[in-house]
Amino acid sequence: MNRGGSSPSAAANYLLCTNCRKVLRKDKRIRVSQPLTRGPSAFIPEKEAAARHQCSYLINMHVDEFLKTGGIAEWLNGLEYVPQRLKNLNEINKLLAHRPWLITKEHIQKLVKTGENNWSLPELVHAVVLLAHYHALASFVFGSGINPERDPEISNGFRLISVNNFCVCDLANDNSIENASLTGSNFGIVDSLSELEALMERMKRLHEEREDEEASQEEMTTRFEKEKKESLFVVSGDTFHSFPHSDFEDDMIITSDVSRYIEDPGFGYEDFARRGEEHLPTFRAQDYTWENHGFSLVNRLYSDIGHLLDEKFRMVYNLTYNTMATHEDVDTTMLRRALFNYVHCMFGIRYDDYDYGEVNQLLERSLKVYIKTVTCYPERTTKRMYDSYWRQFKHSEKVHVNLLLMEARMQAELLYALRAITRHLT
């Protein structure tokens, strides 16, 4: 695969293949397109966003850039040392990262109210895009095994590991990456393809069923209301997303203490809804969509960033090799849609025109556990979780899964924040 040149920065020891660079190039353009991201203060929201998930890789990267651009070193000692205006983003940062459905127009009004430390709406939209992006990027970092190692000789206790100039998705080419966090003897295509064959058969059957019959809108609405009352998204007798982590607790990764960069470090993700709860604040996607609402609002308040985000979302959603492990010329649309919609379900976003029965048929339990972990608390992601699903798939295909999870999560956070801004304006 084609790879770009390395950066002299200690935070950029990874070389990226063409596809990864294409996606991340969009992110770089997002960062440099407004005054907020010019100068050292730009890195404070990004660092605080990464700190919500204890992502030392991203934190170190931003500390490095912050100091190189003339940032005040004292600011790195903790939130009490940063300007109040930046500190005011803590609440929305916390909610975006863990429970975005709690964001209301009152949070927006508090930030934009007249005063010395207020935010204009364009600035706030820009800040929200940065925060959501770095929450999602933390999911990609942990999901892809880009983890720092402890180093007592470094002042902050961490150093970034080198992967011998390979992109993470180069693992698909069986390159030996001795220092990468995801290396292991059981990588690659396993001898038994029974799981893959079963998945292919389910995809074929679902495709045939979709061609043969379409449920009416009334039936879909009835099904939605019934599932909402019984338990959040219980399909075919399988709890849709509430999976315990007992199988993987022995592999739990303990990361660094980054509490000085955040307030209320104990605040984390909770299941959007639990069994038996009523009056769930489900986000019905048709009422506020990225395509019809979020895109235009972002573009109106934040230059042309809407086009960049939209292109990035579409690029990743449509990205496919048309392969599934050893199978070629496969239409993976159904599988990609299941992955994307499942992430949105973690945050209470529901599509009335989607048959959620497909999720249980296409996504095995170990994959659901992995998705929930990477999406909701990525700092808990382990190599064992990564190994446990789609064992016969190529690593590039698994990295593609992580790209899908990243973009789905970012879009979910943006939808809640932008809906709150819209309500503030109306």
Side-chain angles (χ1 to χ4, degrees):
M1 305 178 77
N2 294 327
R3 298 184 293 272
S6 60
S7 164
S9 168
N13 289 327
Y14 290 88
L15 295 184
L16 299 176
C17 72
T18 303
N19 284 336
C20 290
R21 287 170 60 86
K22 192 174 181 182
V23 173
L24 297 179
R25 192 178 300 119
K26 298 288 186 302
D27 303 328
K28 183 175 181 181
R29 290 170 65 190
I30 289 171
R31 290 184 53 209
V32 301
S33 60
Q34 284 284 343
L36 178 65
T37 56
R38 297 185 188 130
S41 64
F43 300 111
I44 298 301
E46 297 168 359
K47 177 169 60 62
E48 292 174 0
R52 287 309 314 182
H53 289 303
Q54 306 171 43
C55 189
S56 298
Y57 175 85
L58 293 178
I59 292 172
N60 287 352
M61 179 177 70
H62 290 302
V63 166
D64 185 38
E65 292 188 58
F66 177 78
L67 295 175
K68 285 184 176 180
T69 56
I72 302 173
E74 185 182 21
W75 289 11
L76 301 177
N77 292 331
L79 285 179
E80 62 270 29
Y81 297 92
V82 305
Q84 184 62 43
R85 186 167 180 268
L86 293 172
K87 194 185 302 184
N88 289 344
L89 291 174
N90 281 329
E91 182 68 13
I92 199 167
N93 178 35
K94 178 179 73 174
L95 296 179
L96 273 174
H98 305 296
R99 307 174 204 171
W101 55 88
L102 297 180
I103 296 175
T104 66
K105 67 178 182 180
E106 284 73 27
H107 291 106
I108 306 303
Q109 291 168 350
K110 185 177 179 181
L111 287 167
V112 301
K113 68 180 180 181
T114 303
E116 181 181 356
N117 298 310
N118 73 302
W119 290 76
S120 69
L121 278 176
E123 289 174 331
L124 181 57
V125 169
H126 187 195
V128 164
V129 169
L130 288 177
L131 292 172
H133 170 60
Y134 279 91
H135 297 152
L137 193 57
S139 289
F140 181 80
V141 166
F142 280 109
S144 300
I146 307 174
N147 299 316
E149 295 177 335
R150 292 290 305 186
D151 190 338
E153 296 182 1
I154 303 299
S155 59
N156 60 13
F158 285 87
R159 66 181 175 87
L160 295 170
I161 57 175
S162 171
V163 292
N164 295 338
N165 297 338
F166 291 113
C167 179
V168 175
C169 65
D170 260 355
L171 288 163
N173 295 336
D174 295 325
N175 289 317
S176 174
I177 305 181
E178 298 175 356
N179 293 327
S181 300
L182 295 179
T183 54
S185 59
N186 60 341
F187 275 9
I189 300 174
V190 297
D191 294 336
S192 175
L193 297 179
S194 57
E195 295 178 0
L196 174 61
E197 298 300 336
L199 176 58
M200 294 291 296
E201 182 60 33
R202 288 193 295 272
M203 288 181 61
K204 179 181 178 182
R205 185 176 67 252
L206 286 171
H207 185 71
E208 292 173 349
E209 290 174 356
R210 179 177 292 178
E211 288 184 338
D212 293 341
E213 57 184 53
E214 294 181 359
S216 66
Q217 185 63 38
E218 181 179 355
E219 290 173 330
M220 294 295 296
T221 302
T222 301
R223 182 190 308 165
F224 168 75
E225 295 297 338
K226 181 175 181 294
E227 291 168 359
K228 187 174 69 172
K229 289 182 179 179
E230 292 177 349
S231 170
L232 181 63
F233 311 144
V234 175
V235 187
S236 304
D238 181 20
T239 302
F240 196 69
H241 73 255
S242 297
F243 294 112
H245 292 271
S246 57
D247 293 344
F248 305 101
E249 285 177 354
D250 57 331
D251 295 327
M252 196 67 71
I253 296 175
I254 306 300
T255 55
S256 65
D257 178 15
V258 296
S259 59
R260 67 180 181 273
Y261 295 137
I262 56 176
E263 290 181 349
D264 195 5
F267 186 90
Y269 174 84
E270 289 185 355
D271 285 347
F272 171 72
R274 294 177 175 82
R275 186 178 296 274
E277 291 189 14
E278 297 184 358
H279 309 296
L280 304 176
T282 305
F283 190 124
R284 302 186 68 166
Q286 71 273 17
D287 295 335
Y288 196 94
T289 67
W290 166 254
E291 293 80 6
N292 297 328
H293 305 89
F295 170 81
S296 58
L297 178 64
V298 170
N299 249 18
R300 177 159 61 93
L301 295 175
Y302 184 3
S303 187
D304 294 326
I305 197 64
H307 291 290
L308 290 173
L309 289 171
D310 190 63
E311 185 179 354
K312 187 161 70 82
F313 290 148
R314 292 177 185 274
M315 179 192 304
V316 172
Y317 188 86
N318 294 319
L319 180 64
T320 180
Y321 303 124
N322 292 313
T323 63
M324 288 180 61
T326 57
H327 293 260
E328 297 182 353
D329 298 322
V330 180
D331 184 355
T332 62
T333 302
M334 185 179 296
L335 189 57
R336 284 180 278 123
R337 183 185 298 116
L339 290 165
F340 198 91
N341 288 356
Y342 188 58
V343 171
H344 276 198
C345 279
M346 302 299 169
F347 297 101
I349 299 176
R350 179 78 174 191
Y351 295 84
D352 283 359
D353 60 351
Y354 180 68
D355 181 2
Y356 286 89
E358 293 184 6
V359 169
N360 283 337
Q361 296 189 58
L362 297 178
L363 308 184
E364 60 190 71
R365 184 181 185 279
S366 59
L367 176 53
K368 290 180 182 178
V369 170
Y370 176 80
I371 293 172
K372 184 174 182 180
T373 305
V374 169
T375 301
C376 303
Y377 12 71
E379 64 276 9
R380 301 185 187 180
T381 308
T382 67
K383 176 182 176 296
R384 185 180 176 189
M385 291 180 186
Y386 183 95
D387 290 348
S388 67
Y389 82 93
W390 285 1
R391 290 171 292 175
Q392 65 278 15
F393 278 66
K394 300 173 183 177
H395 297 286
S396 59
E397 293 171 312
K398 288 193 172 188
V399 170
H400 181 200
V401 169
N402 287 334
L403 286 172
L404 272 171
L405 304 186
M406 176 177 72
E407 297 303 337
R409 176 182 178 176
M410 181 178 182
Q411 189 178 107
E413 291 187 24
L414 286 179
L415 284 174
Y416 278 107
L418 295 175
R419 185 180 66 171
I421 292 174
T422 298
R423 289 174 175 175
H424 162 73
L425 290 171
T426 56

